[in-house]
Amino acid sequence: MLRIVETKLGKIEGIPAADPRITAFKGIPFAKPPVGNLRFHAPVAAEKWEGTLKAWNFAPIAVQPTPYYNPDDLYCREWSVDKDIPMSEDCLYLNVWTPANAADEKLPVYVWIHGGGFQTGFTSEMEFDGERIARRGIVVVTLAYRLNMFGFMCHPEITEENPKAPANFGLLDQRMAMKWVKDNIAAFGGDADNITLGGQSAGGGSVLNQIMFGTEDIFKRAVCHSGMFYMPGNNIMVPRTLKEAEKLGQDFFDFVGVKNLKEIRQLSTAELRQKWDQYGGHEKSIQTWLPVKDDIFISDEFFNALSKNQITTVPMFFGYTSDEFTFSPKGDGVMVNAVKTAIDMYNKACLENGSKEARYCYQFDVDIPGWDNPGKFHSVDLWFWFESLAKCWRPFTGKYYDVSRVMCNYLCNFIKCGDPNGQDCDGSQMPEWKNYSTEKDFRVFRV
């Protein structure tokens, strides 16, 4: 097994995963710690190290509300099990799972961006465990990025200090991690010319932003789980201008009682988190600190750019869960799914633009078990795509594992070659998943 690798920055030692045929490398730095004068600044690439880095444990998670802060909340109950998980501004690390036995195997690579509304989330969440995907012959990378005000704060002084990268630090973190993968993944047995970028929710929205910025020959296809949606009045997918974001930053500086950027950088993380809670906490944060139209990394709203044929599309694997983000567009009680609506808009624009890139669309309609009768809620499909059901508290039985196996197979086939179709583990052919033409081509997953 490939337990020690030689990257461009130094040697790294991993550990056997639960399946010893897989090696896990956890907590690999891809950028300098964004602390001190690098707080509210674009990421700076990590430097070389001496000796062998022991990549045995996940790094601290990005600063955010304490996980498991409300056990009565569905999402806290579903994903967060460790209320004492380490948290730090020093969070720019990535993780790799590889099945390779040697560095020259050129396996396909899957780079994963977690969700959480650009406010929360972390790569050590149980559902993101890369082992099951790696067992299918894929090198899996999960990356961390700065969130909330630490990743998306704007201010006139921040712009003045670094006008070439004044905003969107969380997205820039992602891009730097992606470049690290491009430069170093061959050491883990991965093929740097066969990288698929994927994400869910805000991670899926991040994938769209990365596509809009351009692939830079880093990735060649994309997976977007519940990451594009159209819901009038919701600003998560409609970026505000840099000037508007700077005003919000100035408002926060005034609330905190600091005169300038130097002073806010001198505050401790704990002091900033306390001020954040007083300012409005998560509820206000998710309306405030989001990707910004800075005319550098983001120059337009995604669908506007797509309609103008200003985006170079890539093969796409995307879909939604039945019960997420529903709304009544006419106010008459007739509900539609905001993600499905956006997917239809995307497909229509691609057809009008003459895009030849493949598009594979799905609906996740699996009845989810549990005392809380949760429905097909936003994010629950992650247990299935990563085939990590055994880590969940829910009473999943054999039929759920069967659906998950097929879903993970489809995903992995797409990661490998851009086509989800292929055989199940017993050698039988899985049901054909057609490239999108009409709504009949949506693949619906049920038990």
Side-chain angles (χ1 to χ4, degrees), residues 251-264:
D251 178 66
F252 183 72
F253 275 42
D254 292 342
F255 179 84
V256 172
V258 297
K259 297 183 180 64
N260 50 48
L261 184 58
K262 180 180 179 180
E263 287 188 6
I264 202 168

Side-chain angles (χ1 to χ4, degrees), residues 2-5 11-17 23-29 52-59 93-97 124:
L2 193 59
R3 304 293 195 222
I4 297 179
V5 301
K11 287 185 178 180
I12 307 175
E13 181 178 347
I15 58 173
T23 305
F25 299 82
K26 301 176 180 179
I28 302 171
T52 301
L53 177 69
K54 307 294 187 183
W56 298 347
N57 298 292
F58 288 112
Y93 298 82
L94 54 79
N95 317 292
V96 179
W97 286 261
S124 53

Side-chain angles (χ1 to χ4, degrees), residues 37-42 155-165 169 261 265:
N37 288 336
L38 293 182
R39 176 190 278 173
F40 307 137
H41 191 283
H155 187 274
E157 279 192 56
I158 296 175
T159 302
E160 182 180 2
E161 177 183 78
N162 191 11
K164 292 184 178 180
F169 306 135
L261 184 58
R265 283 174 170 163

Side-chain angles (χ1 to χ4, degrees), residues 334-349:
V334 178
M335 307 301 289
V336 301
N337 187 294
V339 184
K340 170 65 163 54
T341 302
I343 289 172
D344 290 341
M345 293 170 60
Y346 180 87
N347 281 326
K348 182 175 182 291

Side-chain angles (χ1 to χ4, degrees), residues 193-431:
D193 294 322
N194 190 10
I195 296 174
T196 298
L197 183 65
Q200 185 266 349
S201 193
S206 296
V207 169
L208 300 184
N209 282 321
Q210 298 294 342
I211 291 172
M212 186 162 54
F213 182 73
T215 67
E216 292 187 313
D217 199 34
I218 297 174
F219 62 100
K220 61 191 306 180
R221 61 185 73 93
V223 176
C224 184
H225 301 300
S226 305
M228 64 170 69
F229 62 91
Y230 176 75
M231 183 183 291
N234 192 307
N235 72 340
I236 288 180
M237 298 297 284
V238 182
R240 55 174 56 93
T241 67
L242 179 60
K243 289 297 183 184
E244 291 169 336
E246 286 177 344
K247 291 179 181 178
L248 293 174
Q250 184 63 64
D251 178 66
F252 183 72
F253 275 42
D254 292 342
F255 179 84
V256 172
V258 297
K259 297 183 180 64
N260 50 48
L261 184 58
K262 180 180 179 180
E263 287 188 6
I264 202 168
R265 283 174 170 163
Q266 292 172 341
L267 297 180
S268 69
T269 304
E271 288 173 314
L272 269 180
R273 288 190 73 211
Q274 181 181 32
K275 290 296 184 180
W276 174 19
D277 287 339
Q278 295 170 354
Y279 191 63
H282 181 273
E283 184 176 349
K284 187 168 184 177
S285 182
I286 201 168
Q287 299 295 326
T288 305
W289 291 303
L290 297 163
V292 171
K293 182 178 176 292
D294 58 359
D295 294 323
I296 299 172
F297 197 94
I298 297 178
S299 58
D300 203 348
E301 187 271 328
F302 181 81
F303 282 109
N304 283 342
L306 185 66
S307 67
K308 299 173 187 175
N309 206 13
Q310 295 175 345
I311 293 177
T312 300
T313 56
V314 297
M316 184 79 81
F317 181 112
F318 57 165
Y320 66 102
T321 70
S322 296
D323 296 340
E324 65 186 357
F325 300 128
T326 57
F327 72 108
S328 177
K330 297 181 180 179
D332 56 4
V334 178
M335 307 301 289
V336 301
N337 187 294
V339 184
K340 170 65 163 54
T341 302
I343 289 172
D344 290 341
M345 293 170 60
Y346 180 87
N347 281 326
K348 182 175 182 291
C350 286
L351 291 171
E352 290 175 349
N353 292 341
S355 172
K356 304 297 184 184
E357 302 292 355
R359 300 184 298 281
Y360 294 96
C361 309
Y362 69 84
Q363 176 187 359
F364 180 84
D365 195 45
V366 174
D367 289 317
I368 301 300
W371 61 263
D372 51 352
N373 299 312
K376 301 96 174 180
F377 62 92
H378 180 64
S379 304
V380 72
D381 54 328
L382 291 173
W383 294 116
F384 292 75
W385 294 117
F386 280 81
E387 204 180 29
S388 54
L389 276 69
K391 294 178 177 288
C392 185
W393 66 269
R394 296 187 178 277
F396 290 122
T397 54
K399 61 184 179 181
Y400 295 99
Y401 285 86
D402 288 340
V403 172
S404 176
R405 184 188 71 253
V406 172
M407 288 173 61
C408 192
N409 286 344
Y410 278 130
L411 173 63
C412 291
N413 288 339
F414 179 81
I415 292 168
K416 290 176 180 178
C417 64
D419 185 343
N421 293 288
Q423 293 182 337
D424 204 340
C425 60
D426 61 2
S428 63
Q429 196 72 16
M430 294 188 298

